[in-house]
Amino acid sequence: MYIAKEYEKYIKEKGISLYSSRQKKIPAPQFIVFYNGNRKIGERMEHRLSDAYETVRGEPALELKVLVININEGHNQKLMESCQILKEYAQYVSKVRTYKKTLSLNEAVEKAVEECIQEGILRDFLLKHRAEVVAMSIFEYDREWEEELLRK
């Protein structure tokens, strides 16, 4: 659904007709998920849409490959060193998880945000969007907790 919407925007912006008699070139998509969940996974893995199909006979008529990159602290060091924002985001998530062991979720998120600001981790972003980050972090951790309950 996402890629169809993106291609729809692209053809409108470029003024491409869907009814042309000649094939039109479009950008090749690449799908990447940055994983920061609690489940232990390797550095990288690949998900395929066809893995979700009920039945597959031969080569699937529609396939989608998604590269999953583990961005938890301590993983994919080369990527983290080349992308400071991802590295700092991983540090923030790690702090929240550490504080969540002894504090309520709200307190853990607030403490992690405050500490990150003091240490210069995502400082400008957190100063500008603190309320949004706190709200989203609490929502995401609650969702993660709910999903874990459902799995059990």
Side-chain angles (χ1 to χ4, degrees):
M1 290 181 282
Y2 170 77
I3 192 61
K5 288 177 185 174
E6 288 299 308
Y7 278 138
E8 182 179 18
K9 280 193 316 193
Y10 178 82
I11 62 171
K12 283 180 182 175
E13 287 171 5
K14 299 293 182 187
I16 297 172
S17 171
L18 294 177
Y19 305 103
S20 173
S21 60
R22 290 191 300 155
Q23 184 181 57
K24 302 294 181 180
K25 296 292 184 183
I26 57 176
Q30 185 173 13
F31 300 94
I32 300 172
V33 169
F34 292 115
Y35 177 79
N36 71 338
N38 284 321
R39 212 168 25 103
K40 300 286 184 216
I41 69 167
E43 298 285 301
R44 293 169 180 246
M45 57 193 279
E46 183 180 85
H47 284 295
R48 291 173 177 259
L49 180 61
S50 61
D51 292 339
Y53 294 164
E54 288 181 15
T55 58
V56 177
R57 290 187 177 88
E59 192 71 23
L62 177 66
E63 184 62 273
L64 173 73
K65 297 177 195 174
V66 179
L67 174 62
V68 180
I69 300 173
N70 189 344
I71 60 163
N72 280 301
E73 199 169 37
H75 293 276
N76 284 296
Q77 294 296 63
K78 191 174 179 181
L79 172 64
M80 296 302 200
E81 293 305 321
S82 67
C83 186
Q84 189 65 24
I85 292 172
L86 268 182
K87 180 180 179 179
E88 290 180 15
Y89 177 69
Q91 291 170 328
Y92 164 72
V93 170
S94 178
K95 287 178 184 299
V96 172
R97 286 185 178 141
T98 298
Y99 294 134
K100 203 174 123 209
K101 291 175 185 172
T102 57
L103 302 171
S104 73
L105 179 57
N106 290 14
E107 293 170 321
V109 169
E110 285 289 351
K111 185 169 181 170
V113 167
E114 190 59 44
E115 192 172 294
C116 284
I117 290 170
Q118 290 172 0
E119 294 176 9
I121 299 169
L122 298 174
R123 186 176 198 284
D124 294 340
F125 184 82
L126 291 172
L127 286 171
K128 188 174 181 181
H129 302 284
R130 182 183 189 129
E132 294 167 70
V133 169
V134 168
M136 277 306 299
S137 295
I138 291 168
F139 172 77
E140 285 297 311
Y141 280 99
D142 280 347
R143 186 179 59 83
E144 201 173 282
W145 179 77
E146 286 289 333
E147 288 174 354
E148 184 64 29
L149 279 179
L150 286 172
R151 277 192 288 278
K152 287 180 181 174

